[in-house]
């Protein structure tokens, strides 16, 4: 049991204290020493006072590798893609598959538009069927009311585009959900949609005679879909048999939900990393992608052989991402990520992210279906050990080869490699 949970809570009013005091509380509670506090206070790209204004109970900032994946040719434009991720191999894999796709013209994409859907839940209805009928009949007037309330969205080209009424059977009896489709243009849109839902709720209560409970967007962004496809030559993937092996790996994900979960995890390795690097809400992206995949009951990527025996891949995924709003302004790292990428609109960002997801997926399938995923990881691990052991840039590759061929990927192996290299 932690000390805090035993008696009077030291956490009461914690959120009101300055960062330095919060650190002391956590240090006392969890035994942090001066070195730990130095980590918390180390100046990073996200200043502590800014972090403190973004979240609650902040005691420091948390670093993650900020990397870039070059080689992405998407709709004829070259991108350097920023990626924030702690997992080895992900960035290298995305960039490698992007490079191979470039040989055949790169990625071709599509975007449905930035339409988010907000939901208003109506309960305590005397007669849900009758209430739904009434709302259905009043749809035009509900829509114009919402359009008026969301009038400010027009200033940047957005606005409410449609309304739908659905009756749901629930464990608490029938309820109605009224859904609004809103064009949020270049924002992720959660704030816009949620504000509008809260504003519209009283009118729907009046019209239906019910009570509005939840007034929130859905992360299942069914009308904000990005697609990307590319062709990889069989030769670049390792030949005819490699293409067959990749198709088998993909078919496994199509046929089995257990495999599909991991297959999609690999896709999200890339998409989340770009989401974080550009200050987007990657939990929202994850929620949408997995719900979409669950509805489809299939992989969100598809692969087939072209008449020439090459491999064509395609991804279709809901992507609620923005280039304005959210933490983008507050977090200088996110602003930098956006600057490096240079996507000018939500759609452009979504198209890039879909392409990264596809590249990431194929990289994983290729590795898994051929040499296995551990070989690449092992090389990266070996590189890390070689550097820690003091290998110079010139020596690193030789040390890695020595360690891997001698099956001694550890400090001793690196030292032995260095002794041998330097004795020559
Ligand atoms: C690991 O982070 C991701 C993979 O498991 C994805 C996959 O299995 O397709 C390699």
């Amino acid at each position: 049991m932690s000390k805090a949970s035993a008696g009077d809570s030291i956490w009461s009013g914690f959120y009101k204290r300055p960062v330095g005091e919060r650190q002391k509380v956590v240090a006392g509670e969890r035994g942090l020493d001066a070195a730990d506090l130095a980590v918390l206070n180390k100046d990073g790209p996200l200043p502590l006072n800014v972090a403190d204004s973004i979240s609650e109970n902040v005691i420091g900032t948390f670093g993650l590798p900020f990397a870039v994946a070059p080689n992405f040719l998407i709709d004829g434009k070259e991108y350097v893609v920023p990626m924030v991720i702690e997992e080895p191999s992900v960035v290298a894999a995305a960039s490698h598959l992007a490079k191979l796709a470039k040989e055949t013209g790169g990625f071709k994409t599509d975007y449905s538009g930035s339409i988010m859907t907000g939901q208003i839940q109506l309960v305590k209805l005397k007669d849900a069927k009758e209430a739904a009928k009434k709302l259905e009949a009043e749809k035009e007037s509900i829509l114009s009311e919402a359009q008026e309330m969301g009038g400010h969205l027009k200033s940047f080209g957005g606005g409410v585009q449609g309304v739908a009424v659905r009756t749901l059977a629930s464990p608490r009896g029938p309820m109605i959900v009224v859904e609004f489709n809103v064009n949020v243009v270049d924002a992720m849109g959660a704030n816009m949609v949620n504000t509008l839902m809260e504003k519209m709720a009283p009118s729907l209560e009046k019209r239906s005679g019910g009570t509005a409970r939840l007034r929130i967007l859905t992360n299942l962004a069914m009308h904000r879909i990005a697609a990307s496809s590319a062709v990889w030559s069989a030769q670049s993937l390792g030949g005819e048999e490699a293409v067959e092996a990749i198709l088998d790996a993909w078919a496994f994900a199509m046929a089995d939900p257990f495999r599909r979960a991991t297959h999609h995890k690999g896709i999200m390795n890339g998409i989340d990393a770009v989401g974080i690097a550009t200050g987007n809400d990657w939990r929202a992206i994850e929620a949408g992608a997995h719900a979409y995949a669950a509805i489809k009951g299939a992989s969100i990527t598809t692969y087939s052989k072209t008449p020439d025996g090459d491999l064509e891949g395609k991804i279709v995924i809901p992507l609620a991402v923005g280039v304005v709003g959210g933490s983008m302004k507050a977090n200088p790292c996110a602003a930098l990520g956006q600057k490096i990428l240079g996507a000018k609109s939500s759609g452009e960002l979504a198209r890039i992210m879909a392409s990264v997801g596809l590249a990431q997926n194929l990289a994983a399938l290729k590795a898994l279906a051929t040499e296995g995923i551990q070989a690449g990881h092992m090389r990266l691990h070996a590189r890390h050990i070689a550097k820690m052991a003091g290998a110079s840039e010139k020596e690193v590759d030789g040390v890695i080869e020595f360690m891997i061929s001698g099956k001694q990927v550890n400090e001793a192996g690196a030292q032995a490699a260095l002794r041998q290299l330097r004795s020559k």
Side-chain angles (χ1 to χ4, degrees):
M1 194 199 270
S2 83
K3 285 186 217 162
S5 49
D8 247 4
S9 180
I10 56 165
W11 304 110
S12 102
F14 183 76
Y15 71 98
K16 287 191 225 155
R17 298 187 183 195
V19 176
E21 280 186 31
R22 282 184 215 141
Q23 290 177 342
K24 274 193 205 145
V25 170
V26 178
E29 181 66 12
R30 305 300 307 152
L32 307 189
D33 59 21
D36 299 325
L37 289 174
V39 172
L40 290 178
N41 287 312
K42 198 171 163 59
D43 247 352
L46 176 61
L48 205 44
N49 63 326
V50 177
D52 194 29
S53 71
I54 294 176
S55 184
E56 307 78 41
N57 292 355
V58 169
I59 60 165
T61 57
F62 191 104
L64 282 172
F66 189 162
V68 290
N71 300 320
F72 274 89
L73 178 65
I74 302 170
D75 299 323
K77 185 172 166 188
E78 284 253 13
Y79 294 93
V80 173
V81 180
M83 297 178 80
V84 171
I85 187 160
E86 84 296 349
E87 185 173 328
S89 301
V90 168
V91 176
S95 168
H96 179 58
L97 268 290
K99 193 172 173 187
L100 300 184
K102 208 162 148 184
E103 292 169 8
T104 47
F107 298 86
K108 308 277 182 290
T109 71
D110 216 343
Y111 183 59
S112 65
S114 304
I115 310 297
M116 293 299 278
T117 304
Q119 299 187 299
I120 299 177
Q121 176 200 25
L122 296 167
V123 298
K124 290 194 175 174
L125 299 151
K126 275 201 195 85
D127 183 337
K129 236 186 190 171
E130 276 309 307
K133 242 195 222 163
K134 182 165 181 288
L135 291 174
E136 195 68 48
E138 293 174 16
K139 251 164 70 175
E140 282 304 313
S141 120
I142 295 171
L143 180 60
S144 22
E145 194 182 337
Q147 281 168 335
E148 211 167 290
M149 274 187 187
H152 60 289
L153 307 180
K154 270 200 188 142
S155 64
F156 52 88
V160 185
Q161 296 195 336
V163 60
V165 179
R166 293 194 291 132
T167 310
L168 305 175
S170 87
R172 305 241 319 149
M175 53 181 69
I176 292 175
V177 56
V178 181
E179 292 177 334
F180 294 89
N181 283 342
V182 185
N183 182 358
V184 296
V185 192
D186 288 328
M188 185 275 186
N191 284 334
M192 278 178 215
V193 172
N194 296 344
T195 305
L196 188 67
M197 293 308 99
E198 291 190 3
K199 277 195 191 165
M200 278 302 291
S203 158
L204 293 175
E205 286 185 325
K206 221 183 269 165
R207 290 173 190 265
S208 67
T211 301
R213 292 274 195 233
L214 305 197
R215 296 145 295 162
I216 184 96
L217 89 169
T218 168
N219 289 122
L220 178 49
M222 228 38 186
H223 306 292
R224 205 171 182 179
I225 303 284
S228 177
S229 60
V231 172
W232 284 267
S233 74
Q235 180 247 330
S236 76
L237 295 173
E240 212 174 295
E241 188 45 35
V243 170
E244 293 297 327
I246 290 165
L247 286 168
D248 286 340
W250 163 73
F252 184 9
M254 289 296 278
D256 176 47
F258 293 91
R259 170 57 205 151
R260 196 148 65 234
T262 320
H263 176 90
H264 286 151
K265 191 273 182 182
I267 294 172
M268 301 318 286
N269 273 346
I271 290 180
D272 287 352
V274 185
I276 299 171
T278 53
N280 275 284
D281 179 347
W282 73 96
R283 288 86 56 208
I285 302 170
E286 282 275 343
H290 293 293
Y292 180 73
I295 285 179
K296 280 185 73 170
S299 160
I300 62 170
T301 53
T302 44
Y303 293 92
S304 58
K305 229 191 303 187
T306 68
D308 295 332
D310 296 329
L311 186 75
E312 175 158 23
K314 181 168 187 183
I315 184 169
V316 181
I317 181 171
L319 278 170
V321 291
V323 292
V324 293
S327 73
M328 273 147 246
K329 259 202 198 130
N331 188 337
C333 309
L336 194 57
Q338 293 270 5
K339 187 171 177 180
I340 291 168
L341 187 59
K344 299 278 183 290
S345 65
S346 268
E348 191 176 353
L349 177 55
R351 290 165 190 265
I352 296 166
M353 286 169 94
S355 306
V356 174
L358 179 61
Q360 207 74 62
N361 182 228
L362 182 55
L365 297 186
K366 178 174 177 288
L368 287 165
T370 55
E371 62 179 3
I373 206 79
Q374 289 308 100
H377 281 200
M378 188 52 81
R379 284 199 77 78
L380 278 166
H381 180 56
R383 176 168 294 275
H384 175 69
I385 290 178
K387 285 199 168 163
M388 296 301 285
S392 67
E393 272 314 314
K394 263 194 182 156
E395 292 168 328
V396 163
D397 285 335
V399 174
I400 293 173
E401 287 318 320
F402 185 95
M403 284 193 288
I404 290 180
S405 61
K407 293 193 172 36
Q408 202 188 0
V409 185
N410 53 28
E411 167 78 26
Q415 294 299 354
L418 280 173
R419 272 196 303 279
Q420 207 215 38
L421 277 175
R422 288 173 184 172
S423 73
K424 277 187 188 163

